Amino acid sequence: MDAAKRVFCRKGFLAVKMQDIIDECGISRGGIYIYYASVDDILIDVLKQRNKEGITSINKSVDAHEPFAQVFDAFMAKQKERLVNFENSLFRAYCEYIFSKPKPAVHAFRDTQLAHLRGSVEAILRLGASQGILRNENVSQLAVHFIAVIDGLSLLALGDALTVEIVDEQFGLLYQIIRGV
């Protein structure tokens, strides 16, 4: 999975051939086909693994009732790191996959990806609500707003139009929203 992730980060989805992944991980052609029938299947597993790792990390922090500011800051720092070092991101591969397939075929997968992201952001925001920092009634709406901003910034990064200054400005606005809520 780590080798495949490196390939997808480097090349996106559309340019990746099974041979690229075979070469990167040093497995035989027959060995990889025991587990995967296509590059699509590998990308889906890579994305699922990334989601599981992210959710597990957030859930541990939330379950441990770590201070909201600490959990929120860590999440935002991770998002900033991903945005300013976009070559290490799977977002391009994800977008290419979603936009290259017939819509009905990818709707369920896309919806699951969005649900995971929303669940992670909501868990962090609910932690803030449980600690009396945020009002509970705004958590779902606030999570959607955060996702829209972060995905919008990801699209700018995809188009090579994102700067650290833009990230800092937009994240500053998100922090202002949190302080205001």
Side-chain angles (χ1 to χ4, degrees):
M1 290 293 97
D2 290 337
K5 179 182 176 184
R6 287 191 302 272
V7 172
F8 289 123
C9 287
R10 197 170 50 243
K11 297 181 89 172
F13 169 72
L14 295 174
V16 173
K17 306 292 181 239
M18 192 66 95
Q19 191 62 50
D20 297 322
I21 297 170
I22 290 167
D23 293 344
E24 185 81 20
C25 66
I27 193 170
S28 70
R29 183 176 268 303
I32 203 164
Y33 279 106
I34 288 172
Y35 302 102
Y36 296 101
S38 68
V39 171
D40 297 40
D41 295 341
I42 297 172
L43 176 63
I44 288 169
D45 268 5
V46 166
L47 291 168
K48 285 179 180 177
Q49 178 185 15
R50 181 205 55 194
N51 286 344
K52 183 178 179 183
E53 290 168 358
I55 290 168
T56 300
S57 173
I58 289 169
N59 285 342
K60 282 182 183 178
S61 296
V62 169
D63 291 345
H65 299 287
E66 293 178 12
F68 169 73
Q70 177 182 322
V71 177
F72 184 74
D73 288 348
F75 174 78
M76 295 300 284
K78 187 173 184 177
Q79 295 306 311
K80 181 177 179 178
E81 175 68 22
R82 182 183 65 80
L83 288 164
V84 299
N85 295 303
F86 208 65
E87 66 276 1
N88 295 323
S89 172
L90 290 167
F91 189 75
R92 183 175 113 203
Y94 169 75
C95 287
E96 288 177 356
Y97 174 75
I98 293 298
F99 293 124
S100 68
K101 302 295 177 189
K103 288 185 182 189
V106 295
H107 279 203
F109 177 70
R110 181 210 57 210
D111 292 348
T112 300
Q113 295 294 299
L114 286 171
H116 285 302
L117 179 57
R118 184 176 182 173
S120 295
V121 174
E122 279 191 33
I124 294 168
L125 298 176
R126 287 195 194 292
L127 176 66
S130 74
Q131 294 175 2
I133 296 164
L134 304 174
R135 289 189 311 266
N136 197 33
E137 68 269 11
N138 295 329
V139 168
S140 292
Q141 292 170 334
L142 198 54
V144 171
H145 182 74
F146 272 69
I147 293 166
V149 171
I150 292 169
D151 277 357
L153 292 172
S154 296
L155 289 172
L156 285 175
L158 188 59
D160 237 2
L162 188 67
T163 63
V164 173
E165 293 77 21
I166 292 172
V167 174
D168 288 342
E169 175 186 90
Q170 293 304 309
F171 278 23
L173 292 171
L174 292 176
Y175 272 94
Q176 285 179 12
I177 291 169
I178 288 295
R179 283 192 294 274
V181 174

